[in-house]
mmCIF file of all heavy atoms in Angstrom:
data_model
loop_
_atom_site.group_PDB
_atom_site.id
_atom_site.type_symbol
_atom_site.label_atom_id
_atom_site.label_comp_id
_atom_site.label_asym_id
_atom_site.label_seq_id
_atom_site.Cartn_x
_atom_site.Cartn_y
_atom_site.Cartn_z
ATOM 1 N N VAL W 41 -5.571 0.591 18.545
ATOM 2 C CA VAL W 41 -5.517 2.058 18.491
ATOM 3 C C VAL W 41 -6.683 2.625 19.313
ATOM 4 O O VAL W 41 -7.858 2.329 19.060
ATOM 5 C CB VAL W 41 -5.597 2.567 17.042
ATOM 6 C CG1 VAL W 41 -5.688 4.077 17.014
ATOM 7 C CG2 VAL W 41 -4.396 2.085 16.254
ATOM 8 N N ASP W 42 -6.324 3.391 20.326
ATOM 9 C CA ASP W 42 -7.334 4.055 21.165
ATOM 10 C C ASP W 42 -7.735 5.414 20.623
ATOM 11 O O ASP W 42 -8.897 5.771 20.595
ATOM 12 C CB ASP W 42 -6.834 4.228 22.611
ATOM 13 C CG ASP W 42 -6.694 2.894 23.332
ATOM 14 O OD1 ASP W 42 -7.420 1.951 22.956
ATOM 15 O OD2 ASP W 42 -5.861 2.821 24.218
ATOM 16 N N SER W 43 -6.735 6.205 20.216
ATOM 17 C CA SER W 43 -7.037 7.538 19.685
ATOM 18 C C SER W 43 -5.893 8.025 18.805
ATOM 19 O O SER W 43 -4.784 7.521 18.904
ATOM 20 C CB SER W 43 -7.255 8.516 20.858
ATOM 21 O OG SER W 43 -6.056 8.675 21.599
ATOM 22 N N ILE W 44 -6.238 8.971 17.975
ATOM 23 C CA ILE W 44 -5.275 9.645 17.125
ATOM 24 C C ILE W 44 -5.540 11.141 17.288
ATOM 25 O O ILE W 44 -6.665 11.590 17.155
ATOM 26 C CB ILE W 44 -5.420 9.247 15.645
ATOM 27 C CG1 ILE W 44 -5.146 7.759 15.467
ATOM 28 C CG2 ILE W 44 -4.467 10.070 14.787
ATOM 29 C CD1 ILE W 44 -5.341 7.292 14.048
ATOM 30 N N TYR W 45 -4.477 11.879 17.606
ATOM 31 C CA TYR W 45 -4.655 13.326 17.783
ATOM 32 C C TYR W 45 -3.373 14.057 17.422
ATOM 33 O O TYR W 45 -2.324 13.450 17.283
ATOM 34 C CB TYR W 45 -5.091 13.661 19.224
ATOM 35 C CG TYR W 45 -4.167 13.188 20.303
ATOM 36 C CD1 TYR W 45 -3.136 13.989 20.771
ATOM 37 C CD2 TYR W 45 -4.344 11.929 20.860
ATOM 38 C CE1 TYR W 45 -2.304 13.544 21.770
ATOM 39 C CE2 TYR W 45 -3.496 11.484 21.855
ATOM 40 C CZ TYR W 45 -2.476 12.308 22.308
ATOM 41 O OH TYR W 45 -1.639 11.867 23.305
ATOM 42 N N VAL W 46 -3.504 15.362 17.257
ATOM 43 C CA VAL W 46 -2.360 16.219 16.934
ATOM 44 C C VAL W 46 -1.963 16.964 18.194
ATOM 45 O O VAL W 46 -2.812 17.514 18.884
ATOM 46 C CB VAL W 46 -2.715 17.202 15.803
ATOM 47 C CG1 VAL W 46 -1.554 18.157 15.559
ATOM 48 C CG2 VAL W 46 -3.071 16.454 14.533
ATOM 49 N N GLU W 47 -0.668 16.935 18.484
ATOM 50 C CA GLU W 47 -0.141 17.548 19.701
ATOM 51 C C GLU W 47 0.956 18.542 19.328
ATOM 52 O O GLU W 47 1.707 18.316 18.396
ATOM 53 C CB GLU W 47 0.417 16.453 20.605
ATOM 54 C CG GLU W 47 0.985 16.922 21.904
ATOM 55 C CD GLU W 47 1.489 15.769 22.733
ATOM 56 O OE1 GLU W 47 2.624 15.308 22.502
ATOM 57 O OE2 GLU W 47 0.725 15.294 23.608
ATOM 58 N N SER W 48 1.023 19.627 20.051
ATOM 59 C CA SER W 48 2.058 20.617 19.833
ATOM 60 C C SER W 48 3.175 20.403 20.838
ATOM 61 O O SER W 48 2.946 20.399 22.034
ATOM 62 C CB SER W 48 1.499 22.025 19.996
ATOM 63 O OG SER W 48 2.518 22.999 19.840
ATOM 64 N N MET W 49 4.401 20.173 20.321
ATOM 65 C CA MET W 49 5.547 19.960 21.206
ATOM 66 C C MET W 49 6.262 21.284 21.421
ATOM 67 O O MET W 49 6.677 21.944 20.478
ATOM 68 C CB MET W 49 6.531 18.971 20.567
ATOM 69 C CG MET W 49 5.942 17.597 20.410
ATOM 70 S SD MET W 49 7.005 16.321 19.665
ATOM 71 C CE MET W 49 8.486 17.091 19.197
ATOM 72 N N GLU W 50 6.357 21.712 22.674
ATOM 73 C CA GLU W 50 7.017 22.970 23.008
ATOM 74 C C GLU W 50 8.452 22.722 23.374
ATOM 75 O O GLU W 50 8.801 21.670 23.909
ATOM 76 C CB GLU W 50 6.299 23.635 24.178
ATOM 77 C CG GLU W 50 4.878 24.025 23.870
ATOM 78 C CD GLU W 50 4.187 24.692 25.032
ATOM 79 O OE1 GLU W 50 4.853 24.944 26.062
ATOM 80 O OE2 GLU W 50 2.998 24.931 24.943
ATOM 81 N N ARG W 51 9.293 23.694 23.089
ATOM 82 C CA ARG W 51 10.693 23.604 23.482
ATOM 83 C C ARG W 51 10.807 23.810 24.959
ATOM 84 O O ARG W 51 10.062 24.598 25.553
ATOM 85 C CB ARG W 51 11.501 24.640 22.736
ATOM 86 C CG ARG W 51 11.491 24.422 21.240
ATOM 87 C CD ARG W 51 12.401 25.364 20.574
ATOM 88 N NE ARG W 51 13.749 25.134 21.037
ATOM 89 C CZ ARG W 51 14.817 25.694 20.535
ATOM 90 N NH1 ARG W 51 14.693 26.563 19.587
ATOM 91 N NH2 ARG W 51 16.010 25.437 21.017
ATOM 92 N N GLN W 52 11.717 23.121 25.587
ATOM 93 C CA GLN W 52 11.884 23.243 27.026
ATOM 94 C C GLN W 52 12.777 24.448 27.338
ATOM 95 O O GLN W 52 13.898 24.550 26.832
ATOM 96 C CB GLN W 52 12.465 21.973 27.604
ATOM 97 C CG GLN W 52 11.542 20.809 27.463
ATOM 98 C CD GLN W 52 11.893 19.698 28.418
ATOM 99 O OE1 GLN W 52 12.801 19.798 29.187
ATOM 100 N NE2 GLN W 52 11.144 18.625 28.340
ATOM 101 N N SER W 53 12.270 25.341 28.173
ATOM 102 C CA SER W 53 12.973 26.567 28.502
ATOM 103 C C SER W 53 14.104 26.361 29.478
ATOM 104 O O SER W 53 15.051 27.139 29.514
ATOM 105 C CB SER W 53 12.008 27.597 29.083
ATOM 106 O OG SER W 53 11.049 27.956 28.153
ATOM 107 N N LYS W 54 14.034 25.301 30.265
ATOM 108 C CA LYS W 54 15.044 25.146 31.323
ATOM 109 C C LYS W 54 16.448 24.985 30.784
ATOM 110 O O LYS W 54 17.409 25.464 31.379
ATOM 111 C CB LYS W 54 14.681 23.992 32.253
ATOM 112 C CG LYS W 54 14.677 22.626 31.613
ATOM 113 C CD LYS W 54 14.258 21.575 32.611
ATOM 114 C CE LYS W 54 14.168 20.216 31.934
ATOM 115 N NZ LYS W 54 13.688 19.212 32.853
ATOM 116 N N PHE W 55 16.619 24.372 29.625
ATOM 117 C CA PHE W 55 17.944 24.186 29.065
ATOM 118 C C PHE W 55 18.513 25.524 28.562
ATOM 119 O O PHE W 55 19.689 25.792 28.726
ATOM 120 C CB PHE W 55 17.943 23.145 27.961
ATOM 121 C CG PHE W 55 17.585 21.779 28.447
ATOM 122 C CD1 PHE W 55 16.436 21.167 28.014
ATOM 123 C CD2 PHE W 55 18.377 21.133 29.379
ATOM 124 C CE1 PHE W 55 16.094 19.912 28.474
ATOM 125 C CE2 PHE W 55 18.052 19.869 29.844
ATOM 126 C CZ PHE W 55 16.897 19.257 29.382
ATOM 127 N N THR W 56 17.676 26.341 27.946
ATOM 128 C CA THR W 56 18.120 27.638 27.489
ATOM 129 C C THR W 56 18.568 28.501 28.676
ATOM 130 O O THR W 56 19.636 29.119 28.615
ATOM 131 C CB THR W 56 17.008 28.356 26.712
ATOM 132 O OG1 THR W 56 16.630 27.561 25.604
ATOM 133 C CG2 THR W 56 17.455 29.712 26.225
ATOM 134 N N PHE W 57 17.796 28.511 29.732
ATOM 135 C CA PHE W 57 18.146 29.329 30.866
ATOM 136 C C PHE W 57 19.335 28.738 31.646
ATOM 137 O O PHE W 57 20.087 29.485 32.269
ATOM 138 C CB PHE W 57 16.930 29.554 31.756
ATOM 139 C CG PHE W 57 15.881 30.375 31.057
ATOM 140 C CD1 PHE W 57 14.645 29.854 30.795
ATOM 141 C CD2 PHE W 57 16.166 31.654 30.629
ATOM 142 C CE1 PHE W 57 13.686 30.598 30.131
ATOM 143 C CE2 PHE W 57 15.223 32.416 29.967
ATOM 144 C CZ PHE W 57 13.971 31.902 29.710
ATOM 145 N N LEU W 58 19.546 27.428 31.576
ATOM 146 C CA LEU W 58 20.720 26.839 32.154
ATOM 147 C C LEU W 58 21.974 27.291 31.405
ATOM 148 O O LEU W 58 22.990 27.642 32.030
ATOM 149 C CB LEU W 58 20.605 25.303 32.125
ATOM 150 C CG LEU W 58 21.766 24.521 32.713
ATOM 151 C CD1 LEU W 58 21.861 24.762 34.216
ATOM 152 C CD2 LEU W 58 21.606 23.061 32.426
ATOM 153 N N TRP W 59 21.888 27.313 30.076
ATOM 154 C CA TRP W 59 23.019 27.804 29.290
ATOM 155 C C TRP W 59 23.271 29.286 29.581
ATOM 156 O O TRP W 59 24.429 29.729 29.609
ATOM 157 C CB TRP W 59 22.760 27.586 27.799
ATOM 158 C CG TRP W 59 23.112 26.210 27.355
ATOM 159 C CD1 TRP W 59 22.241 25.173 27.136
ATOM 160 C CD2 TRP W 59 24.414 25.698 27.095
ATOM 161 N NE1 TRP W 59 22.939 24.058 26.749
ATOM 162 C CE2 TRP W 59 24.266 24.356 26.722
ATOM 163 C CE3 TRP W 59 25.692 26.236 27.152
ATOM 164 C CZ2 TRP W 59 25.359 23.539 26.397
ATOM 165 C CZ3 TRP W 59 26.771 25.429 26.846
ATOM 166 C CH2 TRP W 59 26.593 24.106 26.460
ATOM 167 N N LEU W 60 22.225 30.059 29.737
ATOM 168 C CA LEU W 60 22.409 31.487 30.055
ATOM 169 C C LEU W 60 23.069 31.673 31.416
ATOM 170 O O LEU W 60 23.909 32.559 31.592
ATOM 171 C CB LEU W 60 21.066 32.219 30.001
ATOM 172 C CG LEU W 60 20.541 32.527 28.617
ATOM 173 C CD1 LEU W 60 19.122 33.124 28.705
ATOM 174 C CD2 LEU W 60 21.448 33.488 27.890
ATOM 175 N N ALA W 61 22.697 30.830 32.397
ATOM 176 C CA ALA W 61 23.325 30.914 33.718
ATOM 177 C C ALA W 61 24.808 30.574 33.634
ATOM 178 O O ALA W 61 25.645 31.247 34.265
ATOM 179 C CB ALA W 61 22.603 29.977 34.688
ATOM 180 N N MET W 62 25.141 29.550 32.851
ATOM 181 C CA MET W 62 26.561 29.192 32.680
ATOM 182 C C MET W 62 27.298 30.335 31.956
ATOM 183 O O MET W 62 28.465 30.612 32.266
ATOM 184 C CB MET W 62 26.688 27.886 31.896
ATOM 185 C CG MET W 62 26.238 26.695 32.709
ATOM 186 S SD MET W 62 26.626 25.085 31.993
ATOM 187 C CE MET W 62 25.979 25.191 30.342
ATOM 188 N N LEU W 63 26.645 30.981 31.026
ATOM 189 C CA LEU W 63 27.251 32.114 30.313
ATOM 190 C C LEU W 63 27.554 33.258 31.275
ATOM 191 O O LEU W 63 28.609 33.877 31.196
ATOM 192 C CB LEU W 63 26.320 32.584 29.188
ATOM 193 C CG LEU W 63 26.818 33.758 28.346
ATOM 194 C CD1 LEU W 63 28.016 33.312 27.528
ATOM 195 C CD2 LEU W 63 25.727 34.237 27.457
ATOM 196 N N ILE W 64 26.667 33.510 32.208
ATOM 197 C CA ILE W 64 26.911 34.588 33.190
ATOM 198 C C ILE W 64 28.074 34.247 34.110
ATOM 199 O O ILE W 64 28.904 35.115 34.426
ATOM 200 C CB ILE W 64 25.609 34.841 34.000
ATOM 201 C CG1 ILE W 64 24.570 35.486 33.079
ATOM 202 C CG2 ILE W 64 25.879 35.734 35.203
ATOM 203 C CD1 ILE W 64 23.196 35.587 33.680
ATOM 204 N N VAL W 65 28.185 32.968 34.502
ATOM 205 C CA VAL W 65 29.325 32.546 35.320
ATOM 206 C C VAL W 65 30.627 32.719 34.552
ATOM 207 O O VAL W 65 31.627 33.239 35.089
ATOM 208 C CB VAL W 65 29.141 31.079 35.793
ATOM 209 C CG1 VAL W 65 30.398 30.533 36.419
ATOM 210 C CG2 VAL W 65 27.968 30.990 36.751
ATOM 211 N N ILE W 66 30.658 32.310 33.313
ATOM 212 C CA ILE W 66 31.858 32.461 32.484
ATOM 213 C C ILE W 66 32.173 33.935 32.271
ATOM 214 O O ILE W 66 33.342 34.355 32.295
ATOM 215 C CB ILE W 66 31.720 31.704 31.157
ATOM 216 C CG1 ILE W 66 31.675 30.212 31.402
ATOM 217 C CG2 ILE W 66 32.848 32.047 30.194
ATOM 218 C CD1 ILE W 66 31.355 29.388 30.182
ATOM 219 N N LEU W 67 31.164 34.747 32.104
ATOM 220 C CA LEU W 67 31.375 36.192 31.934
ATOM 221 C C LEU W 67 31.982 36.771 33.210
ATOM 222 O O LEU W 67 32.915 37.583 33.121
ATOM 223 C CB LEU W 67 30.050 36.887 31.609
ATOM 224 C CG LEU W 67 30.087 38.405 31.504
ATOM 225 C CD1 LEU W 67 30.956 38.828 30.335
ATOM 226 C CD2 LEU W 67 28.691 38.972 31.349
ATOM 227 N N PHE W 68 31.507 36.380 34.359
ATOM 228 C CA PHE W 68 32.074 36.859 35.627
ATOM 229 C C PHE W 68 33.520 36.448 35.768
ATOM 230 O O PHE W 68 34.385 37.250 36.162
ATOM 231 C CB PHE W 68 31.231 36.332 36.797
ATOM 232 C CG PHE W 68 31.780 36.737 38.142
ATOM 233 C CD1 PHE W 68 31.624 38.045 38.586
ATOM 234 C CD2 PHE W 68 32.446 35.828 38.941
ATOM 235 C CE1 PHE W 68 32.123 38.436 39.815
ATOM 236 C CE2 PHE W 68 32.939 36.200 40.171
ATOM 237 C CZ PHE W 68 32.790 37.517 40.616
ATOM 238 N N ILE W 69 33.861 35.188 35.419
ATOM 239 C CA ILE W 69 35.231 34.716 35.483
ATOM 240 C C ILE W 69 36.102 35.502 34.520
ATOM 241 O O ILE W 69 37.228 35.910 34.853
ATOM 242 C CB ILE W 69 35.286 33.205 35.209
ATOM 243 C CG1 ILE W 69 34.640 32.441 36.330
ATOM 244 C CG2 ILE W 69 36.742 32.736 34.990
ATOM 245 C CD1 ILE W 69 34.433 30.968 36.031
ATOM 246 N N ALA W 70 35.597 35.764 33.312
ATOM 247 C CA ALA W 70 36.374 36.498 32.330
ATOM 248 C C ALA W 70 36.608 37.935 32.784
ATOM 249 O O ALA W 70 37.699 38.503 32.581
ATOM 250 C CB ALA W 70 35.654 36.490 30.988
ATOM 251 N N MET W 71 35.606 38.551 33.379
ATOM 252 C CA MET W 71 35.769 39.948 33.846
ATOM 253 C C MET W 71 36.792 40.063 34.989
ATOM 254 O O MET W 71 37.497 41.056 35.076
ATOM 255 C CB MET W 71 34.424 40.518 34.310
ATOM 256 C CG MET W 71 33.447 40.807 33.192
ATOM 257 S SD MET W 71 34.071 42.121 32.139
ATOM 258 C CE MET W 71 33.809 41.398 30.553
ATOM 259 N N THR W 72 36.863 39.065 35.834
ATOM 260 C CA THR W 72 37.819 39.146 36.934
ATOM 261 C C THR W 72 39.236 38.741 36.498
ATOM 262 O O THR W 72 40.205 39.204 37.088
ATOM 263 C CB THR W 72 37.399 38.233 38.108
ATOM 264 O OG1 THR W 72 37.242 36.905 37.642
ATOM 265 C CG2 THR W 72 36.077 38.734 38.721
#
Side-chain angles (χ1 to χ4, degrees):
V41 174
D42 292 333
S43 64
I44 297 177
Y45 57 91
V46 175
E47 180 179 83
S48 177
M49 296 180 357
E50 297 180 6
R51 296 185 63 172
Q52 295 199 2
S53 297
K54 64 182 176 183
F55 296 116
T56 300
F57 294 117
L58 180 67
W59 277 101
L60 283 174
M62 290 190 309
L63 181 68
I64 290 171
V65 169
I66 292 173
L67 177 63
F68 178 73
I69 292 170
M71 287 295 132
T72 58

